[in-house]
Amino acid sequence: MAYLVTAVVLVALLCLVNLLLTIGLIRRLRRESGPRPMPAEGLAPGAGVPRFAAMTTNGEPVSEELLGAPALVGFFSPGCQPCKELLPLFVERARGTSDGVLAVVAAVPGQDATAYLEPLAQVARVVTEPPQGPVQRAFKVGAFPAIITIDAGGTVVGSDHAMPAEVEAP
């Protein structure tokens, strides 16, 4: 019986030491890593505008040739809180630019996207598609929101989750 008690106490002490070391390691990793910026979504700067084709909510065709350059392309999804916060900034930016503006709303069938479609339709050509639709795949967008800016030469100059600075002509 004494051996059993000794073994249980030894195992308990080893578990306690393991727990303390794990807590120390976690604290050290948190302190050293700090907050990391959210990774950019979409095409990398320097890439060309990919080939894509879609129909807008007004029934107009839109493609890489019809998009024009410079351009501002925004990807949104209903139910996404960061999308809801970025939407007014995107609309304001689109109103104040002569660049081509394309907005893609990724909505699951049956999901109400009216809150996004109405303000975007006033300032942009709007495409609705299911998640991971053809335009999202062409622009390599997997998370929302994503804003891609294209310069006058048709080259991607920015891809981010936030509203970028104005696009400058090359």
Side-chain angles (χ1 to χ4, degrees), residues 23 44 52 77 88 119 144 151 156 162 165:
I23 290 172
F52 71 94
S77 178
F144 302 99
D151 69 10
V156 173

Side-chain angles (χ1 to χ4, degrees), residues 41-43 75 132 135-146 148:
E41 254 324 300
L43 295 172
F75 294 85
Q132 291 306 306
V135 180
Q136 294 166 63
R137 285 193 312 268
F139 281 91
K140 298 181 180 176
V141 171
F144 302 99
I148 297 175

Side-chain angles (χ1 to χ4, degrees), residues 28-56:
R28 183 174 180 187
L29 287 173
R30 283 186 181 168
R31 184 176 53 241
E32 289 180 6
S33 67
R36 294 183 182 204
M38 189 180 287
E41 254 324 300
L43 295 172
V49 176
R51 296 179 59 80
F52 71 94
M55 292 295 268
T56 67

